[in-house]
Amino acid sequence: MEIDKAIGESEDKRLKTKYNNAIFVITRALSLYSIEEVAFSFNGGKDSTVLLHLLRAGYFLHKKELSASSSNGGLSTFPVRTIYFESPSAFTEINSFTYDAAQTYGIQLDIIRQDFKSGLEALLNANPIRAIFLGVRIGDPTAVGQEQFSPSSPGWPPFMRVNPILDWSYRDVWAFLLTCKVKYCSLYDQGYTSIGSIHDTVPNALLSVNDTSSKEKFKPAYLLSDGRLERAGRVKKNALIKNDVGSDSQKHEVLLASVIAVGDEILSGTAEDQLGLSLCKKLTSVGWSVQQTSVLRNDVDSVSEEVDRQRSICDMVFIYGGVGPLHSDVTLAGVAKAFGVRLAPDEEFEEYLRHLISEHCTGDRNEMAQLPEGITELLHHEKLSVPLIKCRNVIVLAATNTEELEKEWECLTELTKLGGSTSLMELYPSRRLMTSLTDVEVAEPLSKLGLEFPDIYLGCYRKSRQGPIIICLKGKDNARIDSAVEALRKKSKEGVFVDMK
Ligand SMILES: Cc1cc2nc3c(=O)[nH]c(=O)nc-3n(C[C@H](O)[C@H](O)[C@H](O)COP(=O)(O)O)c2cc1C
Ligand SMILES: Nc1ncnc2c1ncn2[C@@H]1O[C@H](COP(=O)(O)OP(=O)(O)OP(=O)(O)O)[C@@H](O)[C@H]1O
Ligand SMILES: [Mg+2]
């Protein structure tokens, strides 16, 4: 059987493991259910193309096992009922690939022209189907909470969803298609990396090639290096941070941040937390208002409770400490729990870790890189060896000292600019004034100024009880701050408010 042979001859150990696991799931399903009781949901996409060939191989191996036959030939027909939900908004390339594949591999295609739910209801009423094979993978929005065998959801007709490639990464999919040299839909060679309908899918901008001619060109899908971004052509992806900022907060100018440190060593006084201070300064310098800093124990529940609280009241939560492979590194588990999702192996992330700890990595394992499922976005920057982890409005920083934080911050700033949210991370200008007026004398002009310039942040502090008061004015542009300073100076005698360097 050509697929089994191609994988057998390949030297890609990881692909072999993935293949064997998927074949195991398929052959178990074929043992549990009769051939009339299973169906394959095929839509011509890359994931279902992988599954098509895995099913062909799995069926062949299953039959071989049953008959102990030594036949090594191919398959001229494919006996698993194959369903395709055809829609007027499908790409013509997808339709023609689906029909061509059906012809090439002897597939009897059941074309369903209803929505998924009604179509499945009718199908299950008319046939004894009990299990349906799907090309769903972890990372797909619909994969959340699914296992390799997952009963259909409440409200759906009852059947078993069988997901043999649930734990495959984008890279695994392409490794398989290219190793087996099988045909796939032509759109993938034109920069499409994940295909929905004609209304919501464009080529992935990350594959765009700079070309002098007027027509934009794209590299093929298998060249996308960060598989996490395979859906970048599916949704309008112009926000890494802005998207997650709640609509309420967009009404007020200042964005709210919360900073959380995780570490028993900080609480016991064994280690000093320098990151919190540095992060607060950085956030303030770009116009954010830090609402709270907290230090937590290395405890899943402490982390989840605090993250849950902060994520609902702040625009963005920054958390650091407790990130890594040690037993005490529970931050990601806490974040997952706060969002009510589980930790799931993330192969794109493992790929990055592999470069760091290659000698400890067997190539088969994928448990080492577990991330909160369905809510994680990896923010990769070429200056970082491991991407930053973003779970909705929680950013998990891996930094353990201020130098590392500096670098992560720089990358985060650049990445969020790339994401189109320039105004959120741009440096906010500020001006500091010093005055020897007393608190009582300064209070009134300052509160009036606050009313006149509601868009300017006014902060006051002193370095010693007897020393001068320092007034900090921060805003979106210099002109506005200068006007505020001028207005303040008009309220008192000349020379009372002195600029500080
Ligand atoms: C064969 C098949 C079975 C499905 N079973 C379920 C299910 O059990 N529960 C569910 O929420 N969605 C199920 N879906 C729907 C998919 O998750 C679907 O892709 C998702 O709802 C997104 O739909 P969209 O194409 O409108 O974005 C199923 C789809 C197919 C093709
Ligand atoms: N219109 C459809 N008809 C039949 N099955 C479908 C349809 N849409 C989705 N599916 C099933 O859901 C699975 C997941 O769909 P998804 O779009 O994530 O993957 P894909 O289409 O195979 O690849 P890609 O991610 O490149 O679009 C498919 O592999 C297929 O099993
Ligand atoms: Mg698709």
Side-chain angles (χ1 to χ4, degrees):
M1 201 275 158
E2 84 281 5
I3 300 295
D4 198 51
K5 189 161 172 276
I7 301 294
E9 286 168 1
S10 158
E11 287 184 357
D12 188 336
K13 212 173 143 211
R14 179 199 185 96
L15 178 61
K16 280 179 200 265
T17 309
K18 289 290 150 102
Y19 172 78
N20 290 335
N21 288 346
I23 292 291
F24 176 77
V25 172
I26 291 167
T27 49
R28 286 311 294 151
L30 294 176
S31 304
L32 285 164
Y33 306 100
S34 71
I35 202 78
E36 292 76 29
E37 288 175 337
V38 296
F40 164 41
S41 197
F42 179 55
N43 69 338
K46 65 179 186 312
D47 305 330
S48 62
T49 303
V50 167
L51 186 53
L52 163 67
H53 295 288
L54 288 172
L55 282 168
R56 292 177 57 240
Y59 177 72
F60 172 80
L61 294 168
H62 173 70
K63 285 282 279 195
K64 195 167 134 184
E65 211 171 88
L66 289 185
S67 63
S69 125
S70 57
S71 150
N72 205 27
L75 285 171
S76 54
T77 56
F78 181 70
V80 179
R81 179 187 294 277
T82 302
I83 52 174
Y84 174 44
F85 292 85
E86 201 189 67
S87 136
S89 54
F91 284 88
T92 48
E93 289 89 341
I94 277 283
N95 273 334
S96 54
F97 174 76
T98 305
Y99 299 137
D100 285 354
Q103 197 158 38
T104 309
Y105 300 108
I107 301 170
Q108 269 288 344
L109 208 55
D110 272 4
I111 296 168
I112 304 175
R113 294 194 174 88
Q114 279 169 293
D115 63 88
F116 290 147
K117 221 187 230 182
S118 332
L120 287 170
E121 240 153 50
L123 181 81
L124 266 67
N125 279 336
N127 298 280
I129 292 169
R130 294 174 62 210
I132 304 181
F133 289 103
L134 288 147
V136 170
R137 290 192 292 117
I138 275 181
D140 291 347
T142 59
V144 177
Q146 288 209 57
E147 306 286 340
Q148 282 161 328
F149 286 82
S150 272
S152 53
S153 318
W156 285 71
F159 59 91
M160 184 63 81
R161 287 177 286 179
V162 186
N163 305 310
I165 60 165
L166 189 65
D167 67 337
W168 285 43
S169 65
Y170 184 81
R171 173 195 165 282
D172 295 329
V173 164
W174 284 109
F176 179 87
L177 294 173
L178 299 176
T179 300
C180 297
K181 299 190 175 68
V182 290
K183 269 200 184 152
Y184 51 81
C185 175
S186 60
L187 290 174
Y188 294 109
D189 281 336
Q190 297 163 36
Y192 290 81
T193 51
S194 173
I195 301 171
S197 78
I198 51 169
H199 305 299
D200 69 5
T201 313
V202 290
N204 192 322
L206 294 155
L207 291 172
S208 174
V209 181
N210 280 335
D211 195 286
T212 43
S213 70
S214 57
K215 201 166 178 281
E216 200 176 2
K217 283 194 180 142
F218 294 89
K219 288 185 273 186
Y222 58 81
L223 289 180
L224 182 73
S225 53
D226 183 355
R228 278 273 136 194
L229 301 171
E230 75 168 278
R231 295 178 73 85
R234 284 292 278 276
V235 273
K236 277 197 203 95
K237 202 182 169 68
N238 66 352
L240 291 172
I241 282 195
K242 208 169 188 172
N243 259 359
D244 296 301
V245 173
S247 53
D248 273 359
S249 58
Q250 283 175 13
K251 285 182 209 131
H252 53 78
E253 288 288 309
V254 180
L255 294 165
L256 312 179
S258 172
V259 172
I260 304 176
V262 180
D264 291 343
E265 69 287 357
I266 303 171
L267 289 167
S268 64
T270 318
E272 199 182 343
D273 170 31
Q274 289 169 339
L275 300 193
L277 181 72
S278 176
L279 204 48
C280 287
K281 277 191 195 163
K282 289 182 189 310
L283 283 162
T284 309
S285 76
V286 292
W288 287 65
S289 167
V290 179
Q291 297 294 290
Q292 186 183 311
T293 63
S294 39
V295 182
L296 310 177
R297 287 186 301 125
N298 292 74
D299 169 69
V300 178
D301 289 330
S302 305
V303 174
S304 84
E305 279 161 26
E306 188 62 12
V307 168
D308 194 24
R309 203 167 25 244
Q310 297 303 326
R311 76 181 175 99
S312 56
I313 52 178
C314 287
D315 297 305
M316 198 59 75
V317 178
F318 295 82
I319 188 166
Y320 56 90
V323 180
L326 304 177
H327 72 281
S328 55
D329 292 329
V330 297
T331 298
L332 285 165
V335 172
K337 193 166 176 187
F339 284 99
V341 302
R342 64 183 178 181
L343 283 179
D346 185 303
E347 301 219 347
E348 309 299 338
F349 192 52
E350 186 197 339
E351 205 52 22
Y352 290 106
L353 293 184
R354 186 183 297 277
H355 295 299
L356 289 183
I357 48 165
S358 49
E359 69 274 23
H360 301 301
C361 206
T362 61
D364 300 346
R365 290 183 51 200
N366 64 11
E367 298 83 17
M368 52 182 288
Q370 306 237 23
L371 296 177
E373 189 186 22
I375 56 165
T376 301
E377 203 178 324
L378 293 180
L379 307 183
H380 183 62
H381 191 286
E382 58 191 8
K383 287 190 202 145
L384 296 175
S385 50
V386 174
L388 296 167
I389 298 164
K390 177 170 165 289
C391 302
R392 301 261 166 82
N393 63 336
V394 177
I395 292 192
V396 182
L397 297 163
T400 56
N401 60 39
T402 45
E403 259 169 43
E404 289 167 9
L405 179 68
E406 192 68 42
K407 196 162 151 195
E408 288 182 13
W409 178 261
E410 221 175 84
C411 297
L412 188 63
T413 311
E414 276 179 36
L415 285 166
T416 48
K417 269 187 188 161
L418 279 179
S421 46
T422 38
S423 65
L424 296 186
M425 283 296 190
E426 264 170 13
L427 212 60
Y428 268 40
S430 67
R431 209 166 141 180
R432 284 191 306 157
L433 305 174
M434 197 169 67
T435 180
S436 45
L437 291 179
T438 63
D439 299 22
V440 179
E441 288 167 324
V442 93
E444 198 190 330
L446 267 189
S447 57
K448 280 190 180 155
L449 190 72
L451 293 174
E452 282 169 50
F453 292 85
D455 54 323
I456 300 286
Y457 166 81
L458 293 173
C460 285
Y461 63 97
R462 51 168 88 244
K463 285 189 173 164
S464 71
R465 200 33 53 210
Q466 260 67 47
I469 296 175
I470 297 160
I471 302 163
C472 181
L473 296 97
K474 203 172 284 243
K476 270 197 172 166
D477 64 78
N478 275 317
R480 199 61 191 148
I481 295 177
D482 293 348
S483 314
V485 170
E486 210 172 302
L488 180 65
R489 283 188 165 147
K490 275 192 190 147
K491 295 183 201 305
S492 305
K493 283 192 214 134
E494 224 182 288
V496 165
F497 295 101
V498 184
D499 263 296
M500 287 177 75
K501 286 257 152 97

